[in-house]
Amino acid sequence: MKNKLLFLGPPGAGKGTQANLFCKKYGLEHLSTGDLLRDEVSSGSALGNKAAEVMNKGELVNDELVLSIVERRLNNINKGWLLDGFPRNVNQANSLKNLLDKINQPLEGVILIKIADAYLIKRLLERGRKDDNEQVIINRLKIYREKTSPLIDLYRKQGILEEIEGNADIDVVFSSIEKALGR
Ligand code: AP5
């Protein structure tokens, strides 16, 4: 059973929602770099304050900081894991590959949640997180297209990518993910 996973997709696609459900049902560790960064921001640390400025503009936090957070967590997990929101660019994907080679835990499956921009903007405006205003959402979508979407081809070429339609009820999307992962 595949249990070293990555959920990929634009902001608002439902990565966090689906990753939560999946990890609860199958006992995997959910590693969301967005959540981990927001924890750092809430702690009021100097790093958190610096990250908040970047996140509130919809830009990417620097790779070294994100990598150090992920590395610390991955090194201490004894069960399967699910990455959500990481990697976010080719550099992070290469670093992840090096890290996973080192700990001998190769990535086994990538789920791409696909959905049109118009639905995403509506969903995120309704959610209303600090970085969910129209201008910042448009920037997050731009960054996704420029920096993150090249990872789709990377994982497709490795033969581990499964594509899921994200514009459906939460339980329907969840069933599609389970099916794609052979659960
Ligand atoms: P992050 O927290 O990762 O945000 P994101 O990728 O923009 O993703 P979202 O959380 O907005 O969307 P999601 O796909 O998880 O959808 P969700 O399930 O929440 O990153 C935030 C920021 O942190 C980045 O901009 C960056 O600055 C920084 N960052 C994070 N990782 C980084 C990294 N690796 N490198 C550098 N910087 C990084 O759902 C969204 C809404 O839709 C919710 O309200 C939900 O209830 C609703 N919803 C979900 N599914 C459905 C459905 N099927 N039908 C109807 N509504 C639905």
Side-chain angles (χ1 to χ4, degrees):
M1 198 77 75
K2 293 174 185 167
N3 67 359
K4 295 174 189 72
L5 305 172
L6 160 61
F7 284 5
L8 196 62
K15 303 179 296 295
T17 302
Q18 297 297 333
N20 262 323
L21 292 171
F22 199 88
C23 289
K24 270 197 191 110
K25 181 161 178 184
Y26 294 108
L28 308 188
E29 182 85 11
H30 179 191
L31 280 181
S32 155
T33 44
D35 287 347
L36 293 168
L37 286 166
R38 279 183 287 277
D39 287 348
E40 192 71 43
V41 172
S42 308
S43 79
S45 70
L47 268 184
N49 291 338
K50 221 168 135 197
E53 271 180 43
V54 179
M55 293 167 80
N56 290 339
K57 285 191 268 182
E59 308 282 336
L60 295 184
V61 172
N62 84 66
D63 292 349
E64 285 71 30
L65 171 61
V66 176
L67 271 167
S68 71
I69 293 178
V70 173
E71 185 161 12
R72 202 165 54 220
R73 292 292 297 266
L74 271 179
N75 272 325
N76 290 312
I77 298 177
N78 301 315
K79 53 184 179 180
W81 40 260
L82 197 170
L83 296 168
D84 154 19
F86 174 88
R88 240 7 194 246
N89 58 31
V90 172
N91 183 46
Q92 290 184 10
N94 291 335
S95 303
L96 174 66
K97 167 105 179 47
N98 292 339
L99 172 61
L100 296 180
D101 285 349
K102 204 164 75 186
I103 59 176
N104 201 19
Q105 295 196 31
L107 187 59
E108 295 171 332
V110 179
I111 294 288
L112 170 66
I113 306 179
K114 296 185 301 184
I115 180 165
D117 285 5
Y119 299 118
L120 300 174
I121 294 172
K122 184 171 175 293
R123 274 188 193 178
L124 293 175
L125 287 174
E126 279 171 9
R127 179 177 64 181
R129 205 170 67 192
K130 205 158 179 203
D131 55 345
D132 288 339
N133 66 70
E134 193 153 0
Q135 205 190 338
V136 175
I137 295 169
I138 287 169
N139 198 32
R140 283 159 62 198
L141 286 168
K142 180 170 166 271
I143 301 268
Y144 173 77
R145 267 191 292 275
E146 287 174 7
K147 306 255 168 77
T148 312
S149 68
L151 304 185
I152 296 171
D153 242 17
L154 185 94
Y155 293 123
R156 189 180 280 133
K157 282 185 185 138
Q158 292 176 20
I160 55 173
L161 184 87
E162 296 287 348
E163 302 186 30
I164 298 295
E165 173 52 52
N167 184 31
D169 287 347
I170 289 174
D171 55 337
V172 173
V173 178
F174 188 71
S175 300
S176 314
I177 292 175
E178 286 184 304
K179 197 166 157 215
L181 291 170
R183 298 269 178 172

